[in-house]
Amino acid sequence: MISKKNLSSMFLLDVFIISVVFGTAFAADKRPAVKHLAKPAARPAKDFRVHNVGTLWNMVTNYGGYGDPNSSVPSMEWPGGSEAYYLWEGRFWIGAIVDGEKLCSHADYGNYEFYPTEGTTFEFGPGKSIQDHYVIYDDMFPQAGHTPIGIEVHERGLSWSMGDYDDFIIYEYEIINIGDKILNGVYLGWIYDNDVCQIADPSDPHIDDLVDYDGYDGEDTDTDEIDWVDPLDLDGDGETGYDEWGWPYGFPLLQNNQPTNPNYDPERIESDGFFDEWTVILDENAPVLKWQTDKNPAGAAVGAVAVLNGEELHGWLVPRNCSVMFDADYPQSAEMDIGERGSTQPIPGFIGGRLIYSDIINQDDVFPYLTVPGDTMMRPYAHQWWNWESDPGDDIEKYDYLYAQHSASTQFGKHYNFLPLPFDLNAPTFDYRWLTSTGPFNNFKPGDRIRAVYAAGVGLGLQGMRENLDNALIAYYAGSRTSNPYHPAAPDEDVHYVLPIPPSIPYLTYTPLDGGARLVWDNTAETTVDAMLGQPDFEGYKVYRSLYDPSSWEMVAAFDNVDGPVLVKNTEGIFINAKKDPVSGETVPYGDARWKDIDEENYIKVDLPPITHQYDDIGSTFLGREVSKPINGLLYFYAVVAYDPHKPAEGDQPEMDSQESAKSNYMKNPTTGAPQAVIPKMMYTEQVVENFDFEKIRVVPNPYRGTALFESRYEDKIRFTNLPPACKISIFTITGDLVETIYHNDGSDAELWDLISRNNQKAVSGLYLYVVEVEQPKYEKHIGKFVIIR
């Protein structure tokens, strides 16, 4: 197999409201009539879009692929804008027995057997969620070595920007038999080839990963009966059993019978009476919960009703159904670098994929799978993993993985539907893939359909990943009337995803100023009707700024339509107003070390300026703190979010916190979609070069090493500074060959070069000369040099 290192250069609301919220985004039913296998007519081109309204960004295709193996667009990038990707490529597989033959139609690197279906389009935009994609593809396109099963896939992706729901993407599937055969042994599979957080380990992010399963796995392991953490802090001691990186203190990560988790400390285990690999959702309207372990805060027996402080606990308790991958120790280094905790880049999180729903729950002939109590719950058929040295090469091998009958599914004489952690099988850290499958579906007739829902997400440590994918389950059943985690329902059954929706995203543009930037946006958010309320729902705008990349956002201004002083929350839901020190009377701004020690009653409310659609970021005072003035020559990104008011509980409506729109309206390159910064620069008021000091002209960074803070992942750049208002810049190799000519004429003092030559080639490492020339009022020139180090 080709090494990945060599691939970088390769390519509850009433029915009426519910119908308003969910019924108009896309055509209601695109299910085709049954058709026979035949060569299709013209098909849409293979294409992709990027989910980017939340904290998790990911590319999706219209042919069953997820993420970009060339890393040219976000690929499970978390946090969005950080350039830290977790996915090399994700793939969707469908296996079936056809005329006694094992077949698998798949998306697989370099061999994509799904094609967008004739007459369909790639729909992308608001729908069931804030940002949906909807595609239809099938396996009937003639290809060498491919035998079609005769299936068509309707796929919808959903993503949100709200705090609890912005770290995952949910995928809904409807699989239709469009052939002329009854299919048996049908399995659906999600294969994720992850490289955990390449930015923290840029050289070899793929060979130091580990893969595991988080959920009920029958008799395959005993890890699903562990009780090491108390995520809801049921005992009220302020401890959860997770360390600051989101790893359980009780998780030894044994290799050669030795703990390798640097924070392993069994003394800090925090049991809560529930298995760690099960989702616990407290809900007073749900059934009563029962303790799963005797290590519960009440000291009660296993199976007893969960009672705390005299109150019964009600909620949902279900297996997590999640395949997981995380960063482990890099084998070629003597340093113990599990989790890259010493990284100055984003600390690697855990990536997970969770089965939310499958029609397997309705397959009486195969469900429950085994004979133990947990099998009445929704769960996958299998969790398998392999590394790049054992990638399945043909349909038979792929099918065998889907139904856990591959030779790799048997280790040391034991067969596993749910393979344990590689260390438990004496396998090292390496470049792994996981497969989560659901099935088997039998007697799948022409025209029949299979429905499934899968969620993928990232979080800080196992704790963050668990929280985020638990929230995916909560989102799926939010607003449901007849279904719940104990009684699952398909996406087109019952109600799903009734979540508080923020105002629409304003359209934003920004331009440079000398020591600042001018932002202008529209009033869309003020006039758009909230489908849940039947009227506009808007209170104000918040302006966010980020230096170097669109990720580490700082609020620099806010405006509202409220007559009077208010408290202002940031994206994380934290009030960030200054506080008044009750002793000294001094104003203490948010971020000051003393701020958190002052009671909330000492917040200083602020009467925000009235609604506007323009803001000049040139330095200011905001909420009691000084907002720095942008520096000429640096790269800044801006986002303007709209937010709605807090809604107190009223009647049957629960209390709803204020929601703000996604920070996704920063400017983008219209061709590539890459984030587009604004660079403050001095603008000349006159085209005069008399006595101009050409010796001040500089190239920054110099040398250019390809790792400058202002280098975007999407495009290399260097910057010429202190230029005259109009000039010609000629760039030469040290041997005198002309590389590029740039005409600078925007009246500013700076110009960027993307390191692409006039022959459309990337500039290589070496020493370069540049000549800056002006013609008027007299001819002048300046010669300088710079270095590129790749």
Side-chain angles (χ1 to χ4, degrees), residues 117-197:
T117 297
E118 172 194 355
T120 64
T121 59
F122 200 138
E123 302 185 42
F124 194 78
K128 288 186 177 182
S129 69
I130 292 178
Q131 191 179 65
D132 284 19
H133 83 264
Y134 186 83
V135 293
I136 302 175
Y137 49 89
D138 61 65
D139 72 337
M140 294 169 55
F141 190 80
Q143 299 177 69
H146 168 56
T147 302
I149 297 173
I151 43 91
E152 185 171 81
V153 181
H154 294 219
E155 174 188 296
R156 183 189 297 271
L158 305 97
S159 57
W160 291 265
S161 64
M162 300 89 75
D164 289 337
Y165 310 106
D166 60 353
D167 296 292
F168 59 80
I169 300 173
I170 292 179
Y171 302 91
E172 297 180 347
Y173 300 85
E174 183 177 72
I175 316 301
I176 302 170
N177 183 346
I178 58 172
D180 53 9
K181 300 179 184 297
I182 295 176
L183 304 176
N184 289 297
V186 178
Y187 292 89
L188 315 182
W190 294 267
I191 293 77
Y192 273 58
D193 181 355
N194 300 300
D195 296 339
V196 175
C197 198

Side-chain angles (χ1 to χ4, degrees), residues 460-481:
L460 180 61
L462 189 57
Q463 179 183 23
M465 187 223 68
R466 284 171 166 171
E467 290 175 354
N468 292 333
L469 289 179
D470 287 353
N471 283 336
L473 183 68
I474 292 170
Y476 184 70
Y477 285 106
S480 295
R481 297 179 172 184

Side-chain angles (χ1 to χ4, degrees), residues 25 51 57 126 144 320 380 411 429 450 469 529 546 617 655 781:
H51 282 271
W57 296 358
R320 192 164 285 112
Q411 302 285 334
T429 59
I450 297 169
L469 289 179
V529 173
S546 182
D617 182 25
E655 180 180 8
K781 74 176 179 179

Side-chain angles (χ1 to χ4, degrees), residues 5-27:
K5 290 181 288 185
N6 298 325
L7 289 174
S8 60
S9 61
M10 299 175 63
F11 318 138
L12 217 111
L13 301 177
D14 58 35
V15 175
F16 171 74
I17 294 179
I18 292 168
S19 67
V20 172
V21 178
F22 302 124
T24 60
F26 302 125

